[in-house]
Amino acid sequence: HYFESKVIPPPLKVGDKIDIFQVQQVIVHNTRSHIYLVKEQDKDIIKVLKVPSLNFSEDKAFLRSFIQEAWIGERIVHANLMKVTFAPEKSQFLYHLSDHIKGQSLRQWMTHNPKPDVYKIQKILKQLITAVRVLQRMEIVHLDIRPENIIIDDNGHITLIDYGAAKIKSFYDGHQNIKHMPMGTLEYSAPEYLIESK
């Protein structure tokens, strides 16, 4: 397996380096993963670098889903979906990279816009539906569509992020059913999905 040949790096701090990337900012440190804003060495290229937590170093299912996120992200080419790439091939570490998407989460936007114009809401929904349809055509179910996983910029452009809970139809044979494998955030799951998962 890919992850068995890689090392999960310990938590990093600002100024630390991993391969050709230097940490500029710590975005998230939690029990599941560590996310950093990094700068590529000798270039003015800013990326987001995501590392699984050492808490999951023995959890093969979690590590598979982490690797799957990059697998999905490398195959997606769409303005409303986050692009993800694996770490450089020669790296000994397990992490992946995504573009730095400027903006705020939809949750933050909702807080700042408690009574938004209906046309702005329509614009957001149209983009989100488009993103979901692109995934659907690839036989991918996102499973964690919530305001925190939707980034909106100053022009109202949205990007759907985080494929960690996604399921790909072709990865499962006839004996496995994604409906019986609850993932994502329960508050944002479809009721029929939760009922059939019992």
Side-chain angles (χ1 to χ4, degrees):
H1 292 289
Y2 175 83
F3 57 78
E4 291 176 349
S5 64
K6 302 290 182 179
V7 176
I8 297 176
L12 305 171
K13 60 184 186 298
V14 173
D16 286 349
K17 289 185 178 180
I18 179 169
D19 296 331
I20 60 171
F21 304 101
Q22 183 175 43
V23 177
Q24 305 294 300
Q25 178 186 338
V26 177
I27 299 174
V28 172
H29 263 325
N30 61 35
T31 56
R32 294 177 62 83
S33 60
H34 306 292
I35 304 175
Y36 310 97
L37 196 66
V38 298
K39 182 180 178 183
E40 189 171 337
Q41 188 176 327
D42 300 326
K43 295 181 181 179
D44 277 333
I45 298 176
I46 301 295
K47 295 277 187 180
V48 173
L49 186 147
K50 186 175 181 179
V51 180
S53 169
L54 286 167
N55 297 332
F56 291 88
S57 60
E58 302 298 323
D59 188 331
K60 292 185 177 181
F62 178 84
L63 295 176
R64 273 194 295 269
S65 70
F66 182 85
I67 291 165
Q68 177 183 279
E69 182 169 23
W71 188 93
I72 291 171
E74 282 199 335
R75 284 154 180 78
I76 287 173
V77 182
H78 192 274
N80 296 122
L81 289 162
M82 179 180 69
K83 186 73 176 171
V84 186
T85 58
F86 282 101
E89 190 175 344
K90 294 180 180 178
S91 177
Q92 63 174 314
F93 298 111
L94 180 61
Y95 64 88
H96 55 61
L97 299 153
S98 61
D99 292 335
H100 177 220
I101 303 166
K102 294 182 180 180
Q104 59 186 325
S105 73
L106 185 59
R107 175 76 67 200
Q108 294 168 317
W109 186 88
M110 289 162 63
T111 300
H112 298 145
N113 298 271
K115 295 182 180 179
D117 181 272
V118 67
Y119 295 107
K120 288 184 179 179
I121 296 172
Q122 286 179 338
K123 183 179 178 182
I124 291 169
L125 287 174
K126 284 179 180 178
Q127 292 177 82
L128 185 57
I129 290 167
T130 299
V132 171
R133 290 186 68 183
V134 169
L135 292 174
Q136 186 180 39
R137 285 194 291 271
M138 297 172 68
E139 297 189 314
I140 296 170
V141 182
H142 188 285
L143 292 181
D144 201 14
I145 297 175
R146 55 192 171 101
E148 288 76 11
N149 285 338
I150 299 166
I151 304 299
I152 181 168
D153 69 13
D154 292 340
N155 297 316
H157 178 86
I158 73 112
T159 306
L160 180 60
I161 66 170
D162 195 346
Y163 313 128
K167 290 297 174 189
I168 307 167
K169 183 179 178 183
S170 60
F171 281 15
Y172 296 90
D173 60 30
H175 301 291
Q176 292 175 300
N177 189 332
I178 65 171
K179 292 179 180 178
H180 296 135
M181 302 173 69
M183 293 284 284
T185 306
L186 293 180
E187 294 90 334
Y188 291 93
S189 297
E192 64 272 19
Y193 173 74
L194 296 177
I195 291 168
E196 294 185 27
S197 296
K198 292 181 179 179

